[in-house]
Amino acid sequence: MTTDLNLVAVFIAVAEARSFRGAADRLGVTRSAVSQAIRRMEDRLGVALVQRTTRSVSLTEAGMRLHERVAPAVAEVEQAIDGARDRDAQPTGQLRLAVSSIAERFIRGPLLAEFTHANPGVQVDVTVTDEEFDIVAEGYDAGVRLGEVIEQDMIAVPVSGDQRQLVVAAPAYLERFGVPSHPRELSQHCCIGWRPAPHVAPYRWEFADAGREFNVAVEPRITTNDMWVMVRTACAGGGLTFGMEETFRPYIERGELVPVLEEYCPFFPGFFLYFPDRRNLPPKLRSLIDHVRYRPGGKNQKSPAGHARRR
């Protein structure tokens, strides 16, 4: 026989209140509903549990035995549920994140350090990767990528402002080989390119002219999947390279790199923290969302879709 725990809860309320009306008030239901529930429970068990008079309600011997057995068990279950609720109210546990290697603001250090200090119960596990995969299937809580490559069924929260890509080179390189005036001249220069993985064609450099987008398939003298190899080689005078302005900014400010072709480098939506569309987010993820919101008071939004992969 299947046990209806709702009926058990009504029975316990009646046993402790010694009144149908008192039990009804405790449970937030009508007196009639309580009476019907007790009757259904007695019919199922085939034994009387409650003795009713016009003035009082008392338990039968069978009712007293049942109450002695079930009341402690139900109280223990309620305590366990309350304990689980209390633990979930505080951010705890491991938070697994898949982060693009060019999400500079997110992975450079301060943001994550401040988050862990504010949430000592959370252990953050960051995998830096440029591979495209299903974060849910791979067991990640969230990811950080450029908005235009995030699946539309995800919720996305901005963690940066608009971004753009720049072509940069060391001053010594430009003095020796000249400054290109248009992206089509890149074929005449030494270029340092990026590829996502071995045996994959180098990334095509993306530009815009008078609102018209186009890309250039440079033929790099040096190709790598590591942005820092690109930066260090460019600083050493190895050639022109292409990447996020945010990544190059410290080197530009120190004069180690110089941007060129800026008029052909448009801005586009930046990086987003993205995660599955769930009704109840884990506290650890909810805390991270609140921590990284780029615009105060901003709302979650569906990620913009795009066919190109910017880098």
Side-chain angles (χ1 to χ4, degrees):
M1 179 178 65
T2 302
T3 301
D4 188 334
L5 295 180
N6 290 322
L7 297 182
V8 174
V10 173
F11 167 72
I12 292 174
V14 169
E16 294 176 352
R18 288 296 194 270
S19 164
F20 279 24
R21 185 175 299 279
D25 292 340
R26 174 177 169 179
L27 298 171
V29 298
T30 65
R31 183 182 182 282
S32 175
V34 171
S35 178
Q36 292 174 16
I38 294 298
R39 186 176 296 113
R40 287 200 302 273
M41 189 169 182
E42 290 176 329
D43 290 342
R44 285 192 175 191
L45 296 176
V47 63
L49 300 174
V50 176
Q51 292 178 335
R52 311 165 182 85
T53 70
T54 57
R55 296 182 181 179
S56 65
V57 172
S58 61
L59 299 181
T60 64
E61 183 177 352
M64 287 188 288
R65 288 199 304 268
L66 180 62
H67 180 258
E68 288 174 358
R69 297 290 300 274
V70 300
V74 171
E76 186 173 345
V77 170
E78 290 176 346
Q79 290 175 0
I81 292 173
D82 288 340
R85 185 182 298 114
D86 289 341
R87 286 193 295 272
D88 285 345
Q90 297 298 321
T92 59
Q94 186 181 67
L95 185 64
R96 298 190 67 213
L97 306 173
V99 183
S100 171
S101 67
I102 54 172
E104 176 67 18
R105 178 179 180 271
F106 194 89
I107 62 176
R108 66 187 176 196
L111 186 149
L112 287 174
E114 292 167 3
F115 174 74
T116 54
H117 289 324
N119 298 274
V122 179
Q123 300 83 46
V124 182
D125 185 302
V126 179
T127 297
V128 178
T129 177
D130 294 306
E131 294 183 26
E132 294 185 26
F133 55 83
D134 184 342
I135 60 171
V136 177
E138 296 298 325
Y140 289 91
D141 296 288
V144 177
R145 296 178 65 87
L146 287 172
E148 63 180 24
V149 295
I150 296 173
E151 295 83 355
Q152 291 192 8
D153 62 350
M154 293 286 175
I155 298 297
V157 174
V159 295
S160 80
D162 288 347
Q163 301 283 311
R164 69 170 174 168
Q165 300 182 104
L166 290 178
V167 180
V168 297
Y173 175 87
L174 297 176
E175 289 175 7
R176 181 178 179 183
F177 296 100
V179 179
S181 59
H182 192 277
R184 62 173 173 267
E185 296 177 11
L186 290 171
S187 61
Q188 304 167 20
H189 284 265
C190 296
C191 292
I192 305 163
W194 177 83
R195 54 168 172 71
H199 313 299
V200 176
Y203 174 75
R204 298 170 71 95
W205 296 10
E206 297 176 283
F207 302 97
D209 188 1
R212 183 182 62 85
E213 296 184 357
F214 64 98
N215 56 64
V216 175
V218 298
E219 297 182 4
R221 299 283 184 86
I222 299 173
T223 306
T224 178
N225 68 336
D226 190 311
M227 173 58 69
W228 304 114
V229 171
M230 297 165 63
V231 170
R232 288 190 290 267
T233 305
C235 287
L240 296 160
T241 195
F242 188 66
M244 304 299 293
E245 179 178 14
E246 195 171 63
T247 300
F248 296 142
R249 180 53 53 193
Y251 302 91
I252 294 173
E253 292 175 351
R254 293 195 298 265
E256 298 177 57
L257 294 174
V258 176
V260 300
L261 302 174
E262 287 189 80
E263 64 270 34
Y264 300 101
C265 299
F267 284 90
F268 51 84
F271 292 95
F272 290 76
L273 174 72
Y274 68 99
F275 47 91
D277 186 358
R278 299 173 181 161
R279 172 176 290 184
N280 296 311
L281 292 175
K284 59 186 178 181
L285 179 54
R286 190 183 308 114
S287 293
L288 179 65
I289 294 167
D290 293 339
H291 184 76
V292 304
R293 274 187 209 279
Y294 185 72
R295 297 178 179 86
K299 297 181 179 179
N300 291 4
Q301 59 185 6
K302 291 291 184 180
S303 60
H307 61 279
R309 182 191 298 111
R310 292 194 183 275
R311 181 171 180 87

